Amino acid sequence: MASVHQAVVLFFFFFVLSSSFFLTFSTTWAAQKVSLALYYEALCPFCSRFIVFSLSKIFSDGLISIVDLRLVPYGNAMIEPNSTILCQHGPSECFLNTVEACAINSWPDVVMHHLTVIKFPVTSMHTFIV
């Protein structure tokens, strides 16, 4: 009878020990987000379509709550030997990449970016993205 009692106590001890380990592990695991960095070009139609029609879905389905999204408007730019930046779609794209980078730096909350864009109607200025 003593061996049954010892087995029950031993089982209970390991159960409590393992439960606290897994509780700590699962709490730590749940607190982490998936890091996602999107390097895009301001005037690239493919980047614009991806952001508008695919990436935007993570906001509507709630997936953004587990994603740490970082937007980087740099894309296919190259730094020339004389330290100037050459963008795939020309100087206008370099300018817009800079404007977007400044806006993201000043206003880093991507969830608020998305909510603000949803509130305002798409104007003719945005027709190049579709």
Side-chain angles (χ1 to χ4, degrees):
M1 192 62 147
S3 64
V4 172
H5 180 61
Q6 286 175 339
V8 169
V9 170
L10 191 61
F11 173 76
F12 181 73
F13 174 74
F14 282 119
F15 176 76
V16 169
L17 183 64
S18 65
S19 296
S20 64
F21 170 76
F22 286 114
L23 180 62
T24 303
F25 179 75
S26 65
T27 305
T28 304
W29 183 261
Q32 295 178 352
K33 290 185 171 188
V34 175
S35 294
L36 174 64
L38 175 64
Y39 289 75
Y40 66 95
E41 305 164 65
L43 292 180
C44 173
F46 300 107
C47 294
S48 297
R49 280 189 201 108
F50 173 75
I51 292 168
V52 171
F53 296 113
S54 297
L55 185 66
S56 64
K57 291 178 185 175
I58 70 170
F59 295 96
S60 59
D61 65 11
L63 196 57
I64 190 65
S65 65
I66 62 167
V67 174
D68 181 21
L69 178 61
R70 188 171 141 232
L71 299 174
V72 184
Y74 186 77
N76 199 12
M78 295 179 286
I79 300 176
E80 296 287 302
N82 63 356
S83 297
T84 60
I85 298 175
L86 179 66
C87 293
Q88 181 178 2
H89 298 100
S92 295
E93 181 172 76
C94 283
F95 175 73
L96 289 173
N97 283 346
T98 304
V99 169
E100 289 182 21
C102 287
I104 289 168
N105 187 49
S106 298
W107 193 23
D109 187 359
V110 294
V111 175
M112 290 306 296
H113 290 204
H114 178 73
L115 292 175
T116 303
V117 170
I118 293 296
K119 289 179 186 176
F120 295 106
V122 176
T123 65
S124 59
M125 187 173 92
H126 297 96
T127 55
F128 70 88
I129 61 175
V130 203

